[in-house]
Amino acid sequence: MPIVTIQQGPRDVELKRDLVARITDAFVDAYQIPAEAVQVWIHEVPADSWGAAGKLTADK
C-alpha cells in the first residue's frame, strides 16, 4: 500500500481534496492498484514554524 506524505503550509480544503484525488489517480494508473490501496497524508505546517533561506516563512 503506497503512502504519500505531503508537508506544506495550510491550504484550502478544496485544494487538498483535488490534490489527494490527483495523487491517488496517478498511483492507480502507474501501479495498476485500486484507489483504496493509496493513502495520502497531508501535514500542514504554520508559516511561523518553518523557514527557508535563513528566515521564517512568516517573515517574508
Side-chain angles (χ1 to χ4, degrees):
M1 155 181 17
I3 299 171
V4 180
T5 303
I6 300 163
Q7 294 181 316
Q8 65 179 27
R11 297 288 193 279
D12 181 84
V13 70
E14 288 300 321
L15 292 174
K16 291 185 282 187
R17 280 189 184 110
D18 184 52
L19 179 63
V20 168
R22 290 175 184 231
I23 290 169
T24 301
D25 289 346
F27 273 86
V28 168
D29 291 342
Y31 287 173
Q32 299 298 302
I33 58 175
E36 295 77 19
V38 182
Q39 293 187 22
V40 180
W41 299 353
I42 299 174
H43 298 274
E44 292 185 321
V45 181
D48 65 350
S49 295
W50 72 344
K55 297 186 182 198
L56 282 177
T57 305
D59 294 337
K60 291 184 178 183

